[in-house]
């Protein structure tokens, strides 16, 4: 590396690992010269964006020479009314990814400790390392967040705990009573961040949102996104619900125009589109049951999911499975970067996509 960068860049920069994104469809087209490709790698909405959101974007596209509302007023107002919280409790970000980064910038000093599970969402490590924080990664137990081990790892230096619920990449959740007893033991000086990117898909009656603890006055943040059930991944918009004082602190480090105006109008419209939401939910619920039954017929172990993807054991080198599926135009996610060398993570798609994935998987595993 050039001496200039080595000598002048912040040392934290050299601890960062590149983000491994799902392979884009266009890239696979270019590399393999095949046209008919399905992507079940990034938990994008198989039905596409909310039609009402698409219309809202069309209606306001000619306003794009204007800076957006830096306060996201209408979106915040709407979210505040949905969750019955004060508007000053809402933060909006360029994806919930940005909100994770802003939380890190607001709270993490060099040497502070942050606790989360492994494997979980890779952004946690990324945002913590940028700030020079120490990452304490607690292995999942039986694919589930191990809240007792997290409690046992809290030290004087612990600043933040991130609970991904349901967890990505396993789709598992921690339930209401587990969270209650966990929260009863977490010291108040530790900020608990609930990443609920997939909460809308949870079907278990024992699932609860961390919102309850915010309403009880705890130092906590709930993060949600428009990228998954609402199908707006490309527009980059997510939100958080927290105490007004925490929201105010986060806003201090937020860029003035972090959420573009098309994202704001689309998000607002998507919240009204109950039909798209319902169709997405039902398609996911049906799709996961179909995939479960096919996995069972094939004798494959899978982790029952509360999210929009399934973590399944192919009992083979998953890099090979990934490559072979790719040749068939099917993009999924390999379990290797998550530390599970025989697993893959597959997004629940449309029924046609699910069938094609199963066809491909059968073909690949028979090789
Ligand atoms: C997809 C995802 C997000 C965030 O998405 P944005 O597009 O940045 O809103 C956050 N957390 C988890 C666990 C995710 O899978």
């Amino acid at each position: 590396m050039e001496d200039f960068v080595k000598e002048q860049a912040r040392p934290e920069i050299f601890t960062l690992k590149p983000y491994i994104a799902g392979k884009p469809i266009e890239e696979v087209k270019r590399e393999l010269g095949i046209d008919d490709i399905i992507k079940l790698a990034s938990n994008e909405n198989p039905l596409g964006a909310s039609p009402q959101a698409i219309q809202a974007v069309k209606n306001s596209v000619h306003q794009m020479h204007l800076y957006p509302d830096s306060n996201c007023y209408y979106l915040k107002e709407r979210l505040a009314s949905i969750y019955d919280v004060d508007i000053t409790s809402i933060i909006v970000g360029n994806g919930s990814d940005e909100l994770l980064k802003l939380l890190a910038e607001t709270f993490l000093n060099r040497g502070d400790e942050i606790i989360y599970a492994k494997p979980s969402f890779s952004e946690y490590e990324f945002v913590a390392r940028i700030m020079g924080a120490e990452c304490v990664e607690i292995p999942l137990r039986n694919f589930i967040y191990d809240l007792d081990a997290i409690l046992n790892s809290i030290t004087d230096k612990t600043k933040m705990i991130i609970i991904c619920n349901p967890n990505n990449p396993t789709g598992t959740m921690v339930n209401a009573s587990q969270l209650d007893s966990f929260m009863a033991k977490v010291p108040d000086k530790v900020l608990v961040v609930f990443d609920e990117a997939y909460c809308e898909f949870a079907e278990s009656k024992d699932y609860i949102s961390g919102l309850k603890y915010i309403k009880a006055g705890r130092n906590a943040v709930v993060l949600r996104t428009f990228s998954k059930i609402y199908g707006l991944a490309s527009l980059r918009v997510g939100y958080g619900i927290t105490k007004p004082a925490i929201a105010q602190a986060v806003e201090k480090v937020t860029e003035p125009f972090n959420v573009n105006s098309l994202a704001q109008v689309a998000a607002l419209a998507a919240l009204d589109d109950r039909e798209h939401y319902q169709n997405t939910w039902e398609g996911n619920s049906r799709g996961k049951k179909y995939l479960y039954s096919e996995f069972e017929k094939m004798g494959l172990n899978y982790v029952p999911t509360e999210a929009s993807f399934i973590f399944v054991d192919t009992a083979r080198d998953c890099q090979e499975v990934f490559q072979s599926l790719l040749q068939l135009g099917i993009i999924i996610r390999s379990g290797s970067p998550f530390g599970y060398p025989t697993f893959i993570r597959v997004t629940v798609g449309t029924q046609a996509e699910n069938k094609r994935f199963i066809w491909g998987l059968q073909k690949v595993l028979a090789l």
Side-chain angles (χ1 to χ4, degrees):
M1 197 183 318
E2 203 178 319
D3 283 349
F4 174 77
V5 174
K6 238 189 285 183
E7 286 158 20
Q8 304 297 338
R10 297 172 58 239
E12 286 79 8
I13 302 311
F14 305 106
T15 70
L16 303 177
K17 302 168 188 166
Y19 179 76
I20 307 169
K23 228 171 153 54
I25 289 177
E26 289 306 319
E27 188 178 310
V28 180
K29 280 187 186 172
R30 264 196 324 272
E31 287 176 3
L32 298 180
I34 43 177
D35 251 351
D36 184 17
I37 289 160
I38 59 171
K39 183 180 176 204
L40 301 173
S42 302
N43 310 330
E44 291 145 331
N45 190 315
L47 303 185
S50 142
Q52 290 189 33
I54 292 173
Q55 192 54 49
V57 167
K58 283 183 179 163
N59 294 345
S60 47
V61 76
H62 49 272
Q63 297 291 325
M64 71 181 163
H65 60 295
L66 300 175
Y67 281 104
D69 172 9
S70 78
N71 187 36
C72 300
Y73 178 79
Y74 293 109
L75 181 54
K76 280 186 184 171
E77 183 192 44
R78 186 67 212 289
L79 291 166
S81 121
I82 290 171
Y83 295 109
D84 192 25
V85 295
D86 195 83
I87 190 167
T88 57
S89 298
I90 309 285
I91 48 179
V92 186
N94 192 249
S96 50
D97 283 358
E98 187 196 31
L99 293 172
L100 286 164
K101 196 160 179 216
L102 294 173
L103 284 164
E105 287 172 349
T106 306
F107 291 104
L108 299 180
N109 277 313
R110 190 178 291 185
D112 286 344
E113 289 173 2
I114 169 175
I115 312 176
Y116 50 82
K118 190 181 181 72
S120 189
F121 193 44
S122 63
E123 283 289 300
Y124 310 151
E125 177 178 355
F126 175 72
V127 301
R129 284 185 181 241
I130 288 176
M131 302 311 297
E134 296 297 323
C135 296
V136 180
E137 301 179 330
I138 305 299
L140 299 177
R141 203 173 63 188
N142 202 10
F143 299 103
I144 302 172
Y145 248 77
D146 187 347
L147 295 181
D148 289 333
I150 289 177
L151 285 172
N152 289 333
S153 306
I154 295 174
T155 71
D156 288 346
K157 289 187 187 165
T158 307
K159 260 289 177 65
M160 195 184 289
I161 297 173
I162 305 183
I163 310 284
C164 188
N165 198 32
N167 186 47
N168 180 0
T170 50
T172 52
M173 65 162 204
V174 282
N175 67 31
S177 65
Q178 290 165 330
L179 273 182
D180 277 348
S181 59
F182 171 76
M183 288 303 284
K185 292 177 196 141
V186 174
D188 225 31
K189 68 168 193 64
V190 177
L191 180 69
V192 182
V193 177
F194 296 92
D195 182 347
E196 299 183 353
Y198 301 97
C199 68
E200 296 92 349
F201 295 102
E203 294 191 35
S204 166
K205 287 183 185 58
D206 294 329
Y207 181 83
I208 52 157
S209 166
L211 190 58
K212 166 181 170 182
Y213 307 109
I214 290 153
K215 294 200 172 183
R218 296 297 303 269
N219 293 318
V221 184
V222 162
L223 295 180
R224 301 271 178 95
T225 180
F226 286 95
S227 299
K228 308 286 158 60
I229 201 159
Y230 296 104
L232 302 179
S234 171
L235 288 179
R236 314 301 305 126
V237 52
Y239 61 97
I241 309 167
T242 184
K243 277 182 168 175
I246 294 174
Q248 225 174 50
V250 171
E251 278 179 0
K252 281 184 194 291
V253 300
T254 306
E255 295 288 338
F257 305 110
N258 63 327
V259 182
N260 73 76
S261 55
L262 299 179
Q264 291 186 38
V265 296
L268 200 54
L271 288 170
D272 281 333
D273 196 340
R274 298 315 297 174
E275 192 182 339
H276 175 266
Y277 182 103
Q278 197 59 28
N279 289 342
T280 303
W281 194 92
E282 282 166 13
N284 187 70
S285 184
R286 267 198 310 274
K288 76 182 199 186
K289 283 168 196 132
Y290 165 77
L291 291 171
Y292 289 171
S293 75
E294 292 300 318
F295 292 151
E296 282 159 22
K297 284 187 220 160
M298 295 165 77
L300 301 180
N301 292 321
Y302 60 88
V303 184
T305 186
E306 299 295 334
S308 60
F309 52 83
I310 307 180
F311 205 47
V312 54
D313 189 355
T314 65
R316 295 267 291 270
D317 176 347
C318 67
Q319 279 302 118
E320 282 173 23
V321 174
F322 170 83
Q323 284 301 337
S324 306
L325 284 171
L326 204 58
Q327 300 301 317
L328 300 173
I330 302 163
I331 316 172
I332 49 90
R333 196 65 79 90
S334 150
S336 312
F338 301 123
Y340 286 82
T342 61
F343 279 69
I344 58 173
R345 191 195 69 191
V346 61
T347 303
V348 179
T350 62
Q351 192 51 11
E353 288 170 334
N354 295 335
K355 282 191 168 151
R356 176 153 163 213
F357 161 71
I358 290 296
W359 164 84
L361 189 62
Q362 283 169 345
K363 205 166 149 119
V364 164
L365 295 184
L367 290 178

